[in-house]
Amino acid sequence: MLTFVEIIRGVQTEQIIPIGSLDHELSFSYSRSSGPGGQSVNKLNTKVELRFSIITSSVLYQDQKEILLKKLKTKINLEGELLLTSQSSRSQLQNKQLVVQKFYEIIN
């Protein structure tokens, strides 16, 4: 993915938003993963949904918010929240780590 500076200038640079800098603005919810299985499969809430409010973020600049709202409009709900999910692992912790990693990749 391109960073904000790459989009604006068309050159490669390092990450604009360091990993971990938005962690305090992320919210998570957990639910049962879907998929095939027997009677005792998927009884745990291992699916992780990450929500990030672009509009109310105190870390992002206004121009960054506008770029994200435009580029990620298919992943943003009517409240201006970026929604990402992960359910590839049977572990809630691993799914949370995966969705956070995916979040920072998308943002940058």
Side-chain angles (χ1 to χ4, degrees), residues 46-62:
T46 57
K47 179 180 177 180
V48 178
E49 181 180 72
L50 176 148
R51 290 177 177 264
F52 171 68
S53 178
I54 295 172
I55 295 170
T56 61
S57 174
S58 61
V59 176
L60 297 177
Y61 295 112
Q62 187 60 36

Side-chain angles (χ1 to χ4, degrees), residues 65-77:
K65 292 178 185 181
E66 290 171 10
I67 291 170
L68 287 175
L69 289 169
K70 181 179 176 185
K71 296 286 184 181
L72 302 174
K73 62 184 171 186
T74 60
K75 298 180 186 296
I76 297 173
N77 65 15

Side-chain angles (χ1 to χ4, degrees), residues 2-108:
L2 297 175
T3 64
F4 293 112
V5 173
E6 289 174 23
I7 292 168
I8 293 169
R9 295 186 190 153
V11 292
Q12 285 201 331
T13 61
E14 61 188 55
Q15 290 182 341
I16 298 300
I17 301 170
I19 293 175
S21 63
L22 294 172
D23 285 357
H24 65 283
E25 295 187 1
L26 303 178
S27 63
F28 300 93
S29 60
Y30 307 95
S31 60
R32 290 186 180 167
S33 293
S34 61
Q39 293 177 339
S40 61
V41 174
N42 296 329
K43 299 284 186 188
L44 300 174
N45 293 332
T46 57
K47 179 180 177 180
V48 178
E49 181 180 72
L50 176 148
R51 290 177 177 264
F52 171 68
S53 178
I54 295 172
I55 295 170
T56 61
S57 174
S58 61
V59 176
L60 297 177
Y61 295 112
Q62 187 60 36
D63 60 336
Q64 292 173 325
K65 292 178 185 181
E66 290 171 10
I67 291 170
L68 287 175
L69 289 169
K70 181 179 176 185
K71 296 286 184 181
L72 302 174
K73 62 184 171 186
T74 60
K75 298 180 186 296
I76 297 173
N77 65 15
L78 295 175
E79 290 81 33
E81 294 176 320
L82 174 63
L83 301 175
L84 300 172
T85 61
S86 177
Q87 60 182 350
S88 59
S89 172
R90 294 179 125 185
S91 163
Q92 187 183 85
L93 179 60
Q94 287 178 343
N95 283 330
K96 186 175 180 181
Q97 292 169 341
L98 289 171
V99 78
V100 169
Q101 179 182 352
K102 182 167 50 170
F103 168 75
Y104 281 105
E105 287 172 2
I106 288 172
I107 291 294
N108 282 302

